Amino acid sequence: MIRSERGVWCIETERTGYYIARRGDLAEQLHYGRKIRPDAGPLREKLASSYCTDAIYDETWDAGVSLHHVGLELSPVEKGDFRRPALEITMPDGSRVSDWKLREEKVLPASPEADGLPQAYGGGECLALCFENEWGVRVEALYTPYDECDVIVRRYRILNGSGAPITIRRAMSYQLDLPRSGFLLTTLTGAWAREFEPKTQPLAAGAAAFGSTTGASSHYCNPLFLLSEKNADENAGEVYAFNLIYSGSHQEWVETDSFGRTRVEAGIQPEGFAWTLAPGEVFDTPEAVLTFSGEGKNGASRSMHRFVRAHVSPRRWSSVERPVLVNNWEATYFGFTEEKLLQLAHTAAGLGAELFVLDDGWFGRRTSDLRGLGDFDVNLDKLPSGLDGLAAGIEREGLRFGLWVEPEMVNEDSALYEAHPDWAVQPPKGQPCRSRHQLVLDLCRTQVQDYLIEQLDNVLSSAPITYVKWDMNRHHTDRFSSALEEQGRFAHAWMLGFYRVLGEVTRRHPDILFEGCASGGNRFDLGVLCFFPQIWLSDDTDAWERARIQSGASLGYPQSTMGCHVSAVPNHQTLRVTPLESRFDVAVFGAFGYEMDLTAVTPGTAACIAAQIAWFKEHRVLFQQGQMYRLVSPFETDECAWMVVSEDRTQAAVLEMISLVHPNSAQPPLRLAGLDPDRTYEIGVRPQFLETERFGSMVRQAFPELGQVPELFPCEQGGMTASGSLLMYAGIRRRQRFGGFGIAPDVRIMPDFSARIYLLKALPE
Ligand code: GLA
């Protein structure tokens, strides 16, 4: 809701408020946090006389004001605010001096469309604060509240009203001046197969700058980050969370000044960026997403999750149950035949899978990652019946058919490159860097965008394809495009080209479920999620690594957005062996599937997988659409626990996982969250099995009564009832874990990396 009260603009959501007041020709930021009844008087920065060295902004209207001490919605540049301004623009005279004066304040019925950029939908009114500088350049600061998810979306729109060209050099999407310091900054950094590692650091003096320069939002540093007050934890304390609706290189900037204030900014990566606007032209920054929680990090995550589900994720898919898929990549890599794929599909169908996905290697000369990208003709050596023939075979098994593509790239060994070498991004002189033997296609060129749209359209119309995994496997380098007069535009223009292709292909194929991917989570962001409801989170499918990666990503992304698969052991990324049930228990908290050679598993494993799939289908809505809470952090302990709770709080599921066993270690009560304190819940453990070989030479002691030792044995069973209040405020005491002694029905056998899922059902009131 947007309203004006006693001269204060109030941008409010259910529990948060952002307050701004005019101060002369400035827009002063008064408060962002818990909702208040505002009053400009007590909230204003008090400045009656300058600090000795201050540069006074305008002696005529507010004697003491140095911009350096005021919270600002948009900082005038070179006017005494020595913190980093959100916008830096070279004016027609070559200077960057810019005195942004607030000229107009208006409430628009909705946020204006940002040309070529993905945007959140379903917001209401939008506050526009319109600034103008001495050249007649206008900037609109736009604010849209999303009530029920406590999110405020911000961005700037720059209009060149100066009559001469100007060049934008730094285009952040917002600046937020918090009148406090001492925050803890949590960033989500990582690498390939190690995405979303939360790293928390205290902010003392100076600026923390982070982000990506790779051409994608990147696994090195996701645009999601958090600022928490010192004692905040998962469930208590004040926490701000920030994200961008953007998939390209980005920068985040958190600056603590000498007067105990904190400036926060995020937007397009300024390194190498220059965007000249001709007179009359407009530039939109990507939308930024801000939330505040007084209920710790889980509170901020809950708001972000709701926002993504209701206002980012394509409407068509927001409450659609995602199919149980089987992907052939780790089963066959490039070495598949049509026969092998059909065998795999046959086995998968028998186990209960719903969708078969053919990964990399089906097209052109693609026998390895050395060649073929750029081409879309079917490789008939591998698939003699073509895609439609294969799809028909898959459908005969009762499965839907899905396909992998990597359209943004080209191998030099491909028909496309031979025909159009100039379509690949190359430096004007010298050699381009190769990565995975491939080059990036120049999506700054409309011709290349059109080629991709048409090729993809043809392929997707050539067979009954219901799902697409859209991959992108390298960072950008050698950024130069002969289509651009100004090379500083490259990174952002490429992104706009990418969004055009995404928009057009998804518009033409609205019933295809698209899953983004970039060597796993190298482009896991809200920009992609505006088009694709899910993204392959990581190539690392080791159960414990996934517990960590999914925990980190859950800080800002709901589980329905995360592609999560059960894969073989030893795991292909870590060479680690984890129990099959643990791999399942972790993967069900996401868009779930299997990525292993199901034709090669033992009968016991096959039976176990069939039971897993049947169980998952019964509880799929809870896992994919329930509200997720983090309970125990795998980054701080040897354990990980999460839970999901249904919207009406009558159902919940809890994951408990351990990493390395320390025999006879403490098992404190496990406190749950999100339940109805007044309801009574029935708690049961999901029926699970463990590989008997875990007992090694102890197997006879473990099963003295059995003649032939089975491949798998059932884990403990049994349930109990408890009130929501007990479960949340006292916590549940779990059964003892095996610690070298006592194999008894009441002892939980939990070797390294084992897990359990508990299911909670509210009893009728
Ligand atoms: C990337 C993806 C994998 C797989 C391969 C295929 O690494 O992340 O899941 O699709 O490409 O080449």
Side-chain angles (χ1 to χ4, degrees):
M1 186 195 191
I2 296 171
R3 66 197 168 87
S4 167
E5 184 181 324
R6 280 172 287 178
V8 178
W9 280 112
C10 311
I11 306 148
E12 291 176 331
T13 65
E14 241 166 54
R15 283 163 298 185
T16 72
Y18 191 123
Y19 303 91
I20 304 165
R22 180 183 269 279
R23 182 170 192 154
D25 287 333
L26 302 169
E28 184 175 4
Q29 210 169 88
L30 300 179
H31 169 70
Y32 178 40
R34 262 181 232 273
K35 205 158 149 171
I36 55 171
R37 193 157 62 80
D39 199 329
L43 285 170
R44 262 190 211 296
E45 185 69 51
K46 304 295 177 299
L47 293 165
S49 104
S50 64
Y51 296 79
C52 178
T53 51
D54 281 348
I56 304 307
Y57 176 58
D58 185 345
E59 286 175 336
T60 59
W61 59 267
D62 199 339
V65 171
S66 154
L67 300 189
H68 195 61
H69 304 294
V70 186
L72 295 168
E73 294 306 309
L74 176 64
S75 265
V77 180
E78 294 285 343
K79 291 289 175 188
D81 178 357
F82 298 103
R83 298 163 292 180
R84 192 87 199 249
L87 300 181
E88 292 178 43
I89 304 176
T90 307
M91 295 300 157
D93 62 356
S95 90
R96 55 172 222 142
V97 180
S98 183
D99 190 4
W100 299 117
K101 292 198 185 297
L102 182 60
R103 291 286 181 238
E104 200 187 346
E105 302 143 64
K106 55 187 180 188
V107 178
L108 308 171
S111 179
E113 216 172 287
D115 202 18
L117 281 167
Q119 286 177 270
Y121 58 84
E125 291 182 332
C126 168
L127 174 68
L129 300 183
C130 310
F131 299 84
E132 199 175 291
N133 74 357
E134 43 296 45
W135 290 93
V137 176
R138 272 170 80 87
V139 171
E140 289 178 0
L142 301 167
Y143 309 78
T144 313
Y146 289 78
D147 208 34
E148 84 293 355
C149 32
D150 288 323
V151 155
I152 293 172
V153 167
R154 291 192 53 184
R155 75 183 156 106
Y156 293 118
R157 161 168 270 212
I158 304 164
L159 302 90
N160 184 6
S162 76
I166 58 169
T167 303
I168 307 166
R169 309 243 166 223
R170 179 178 171 83
M172 296 291 108
S173 294
Y174 63 95
Q175 67 180 50
L176 173 69
D177 285 347
L178 297 167
R180 291 190 286 149
S181 60
F183 289 104
L184 295 174
L185 166 68
T186 302
T187 55
L188 289 146
T189 53
W192 175 70
R194 183 169 54 79
E195 296 87 346
F196 282 106
E197 273 195 329
K199 291 272 185 291
T200 297
Q201 52 173 298
L203 293 174
F210 46 101
S212 150
T213 54
T214 67
S217 46
S218 109
H219 45 219
Y220 293 144
C221 185
N222 198 269
L224 170 72
F225 68 102
L226 274 64
L227 288 181
S228 319
E229 66 174 1
K230 260 207 186 90
N231 298 320
D233 60 21
E234 282 289 12
N235 299 310
E238 300 199 347
V239 175
Y240 296 88
F242 306 86
N243 210 339
L244 281 178
I245 304 187
Y246 194 57
S247 313
S249 300
H250 55 96
Q251 188 184 74
E252 286 70 34
W253 179 270
V254 187
E255 183 173 349
T256 308
D257 72 12
S258 312
F259 298 89
R261 274 181 296 262
T262 306
R263 170 164 294 179
V264 189
E265 298 176 353
I268 293 170
Q269 172 61 254
E271 193 188 312
F273 175 79
W275 194 282
T276 297
L277 281 188
E281 278 185 348
V282 171
F283 183 88
D284 286 298
T285 68
E287 289 191 329
V289 179
L290 288 70
T291 192
F292 165 83
S293 155
E295 292 168 27
K297 291 182 189 166
N298 265 320
S301 303
R302 275 198 301 281
S303 298
M304 285 295 194
H305 291 189
R306 270 195 212 123
F307 177 72
V308 175
R309 282 199 302 258
H311 303 289
V312 173
S313 198
R315 267 202 187 95
R316 161 77 177 78
W317 298 101
S318 47
S319 49
V320 172
E321 292 177 36
R322 310 293 161 77
V324 177
L325 70 78
V326 168
N327 177 302
N328 77 306
W329 179 242
E330 288 200 358
T332 65
Y333 293 103
F334 290 104
F336 58 81
T337 59
E338 191 172 299
E339 195 189 346
K340 174 72 192 177
L341 297 178
L342 287 171
Q343 275 170 11
L344 195 49
H346 178 72
T347 312
L351 299 177
E354 297 161 323
L355 166 70
F356 182 86
V357 180
L358 172 55
D359 210 279
D360 194 357
W362 59 267
F363 51 89
R365 309 166 187 171
R366 192 79 169 161
T367 47
S368 74
D369 62 10
L370 286 168
R371 55 188 65 84
L373 285 177
D375 298 339
F376 291 85
D377 54 311
V378 182
N379 181 318
L380 294 173
D381 292 339
K382 292 196 206 180
L383 302 176
S385 317
L387 273 189
D388 48 345
L390 175 68
I394 304 278
E395 285 192 329
R396 271 196 296 279
E397 296 293 347
L399 296 174
R400 286 175 256 160
F401 179 57
L403 195 65
W404 178 97
V405 293
E406 190 177 351
E408 303 155 55
M409 298 290 156
V410 64
N411 286 116
E412 286 152 280
D413 187 351
S414 69
L416 178 69
Y417 187 82
E418 282 157 13
H420 298 287
D422 54 321
W423 284 11
V425 175
Q426 315 232 26
K429 286 192 171 62
Q431 285 289 311
C433 300
R434 277 99 185 164
S435 174
R436 213 189 178 204
H437 317 291
Q438 62 201 51
L439 300 176
V440 180
L441 282 173
D442 184 0
L443 293 191
C444 302
R445 297 171 70 141
T446 318
Q447 212 182 2
V448 177
Q449 299 163 21
D450 291 342
Y451 169 80
L452 294 181
I453 292 167
E454 291 317 315
Q455 292 295 322
L456 286 164
D457 194 18
N458 289 341
V459 171
L460 300 184
S461 311
S462 71
I465 293 166
T466 64
Y467 161 103
V468 165
K469 176 177 172 189
W470 181 306
D471 208 346
M472 189 286 286
N473 284 314
R474 66 157 289 178
H475 301 317
H476 294 189
T477 59
D478 302 288
R479 280 168 265 214
F480 176 84
S481 171
S482 52
L484 297 175
E485 273 175 31
E486 184 179 41
Q487 296 303 321
R489 284 182 175 232
F490 184 99
H492 186 59
W494 193 97
M495 241 334 114
L496 295 177
F498 167 65
Y499 287 140
R500 179 176 165 242
V501 177
L502 247 56
E504 192 51 31
V505 173
T506 52
R507 190 188 64 75
R508 291 189 196 183
H509 297 277
D511 293 328
I512 291 182
L513 170 63
F514 284 85
E515 174 161 332
C517 175
S519 307
N522 193 21
R523 194 169 59 192
F524 196 108
D525 57 68
L526 299 182
V528 169
L529 286 172
C530 283
F531 301 93
F532 301 164
Q534 58 193 58
I535 302 174
W536 180 230
L537 179 62
S538 175
D539 277 352
D540 192 344
T541 45
D542 174 274
W544 180 248
E545 294 302 306
R546 271 306 187 110
R548 289 164 59 93
I549 297 168
Q550 289 169 227
S551 290
S554 78
L555 280 164
Y557 301 95
Q559 69 279 13
S560 59
T561 62
M562 305 178 197
C564 301
H565 299 172
V566 174
S567 61
V569 287
N571 174 270
H572 292 197
Q573 293 74 41
T574 60
L575 302 181
R576 186 182 290 148
V577 176
T578 58
L580 173 64
E581 297 279 36
S582 304
R583 286 171 265 151
F584 172 83
D585 289 346
V586 174
V588 285
F589 287 78
F592 170 69
Y594 290 81
E595 184 160 342
M596 58 197 285
D597 189 354
L598 294 172
T599 63
V601 301
T602 61
T605 301
C608 191
I609 290 176
Q612 289 178 340
I613 296 179
W615 188 89
F616 174 71
K617 285 178 181 169
E618 239 180 275
H619 305 288
R620 164 166 34 199
V621 177
L622 171 64
F623 281 99
Q624 291 183 348
Q625 293 170 23
Q627 180 61 61
M628 184 174 173
Y629 295 79
R630 291 173 303 276
L631 305 175
V632 179
S633 167
F635 300 101
E636 289 162 16
T637 67
D638 292 325
E639 301 190 21
C640 174
W642 312 314
M643 65 186 291
V644 283
V645 184
S646 65
E647 192 68 38
D648 63 2
R649 299 193 291 176
T650 60
Q651 289 184 57
V654 179
L655 166 81
E656 175 199 6
M657 185 172 184
I658 56 171
S659 56
L660 294 183
V661 170
H662 305 292
N664 309 312
S665 51
Q667 267 204 114
L670 179 62
R671 288 189 184 185
L672 307 189
L675 300 172
D676 182 340
D678 301 324
R679 297 287 296 255
T680 302
Y681 292 87
E682 190 172 59
I683 309 154
V685 53
R686 179 177 85 79
Q688 297 195 195
F689 293 84
L690 200 62
E691 292 82 0
T692 312
E693 67 182 15
R694 285 295 179 130
F695 281 101
S697 57
M698 262 176 71
V699 73
R700 275 288 144 230
Q701 280 88 340
F703 301 104
E705 75 285 3
L706 293 182
Q708 206 188 340
V709 178
E711 183 192 340
L712 300 164
F713 69 91
C715 298
E716 77 288 344
Q717 275 296 296
M720 56 176 103
T721 56
S723 68
S725 61
L726 180 156
L727 293 167
M728 292 193 293
Y729 311 140
I732 185 166
R733 307 303 301 260
R734 291 158 288 173
R735 289 189 204 175
Q736 194 181 349
R737 285 203 296 244
F738 173 75
F741 256 98
I743 299 174
D746 266 357
V747 172
R748 305 191 303 152
I749 310 295
M750 294 191 74
D752 283 354
F753 308 110
S754 45
R756 297 287 188 272
I757 284 183
Y758 303 94
L759 208 58
L760 279 75
K761 259 195 176 140
L763 295 176
E765 277 175 304

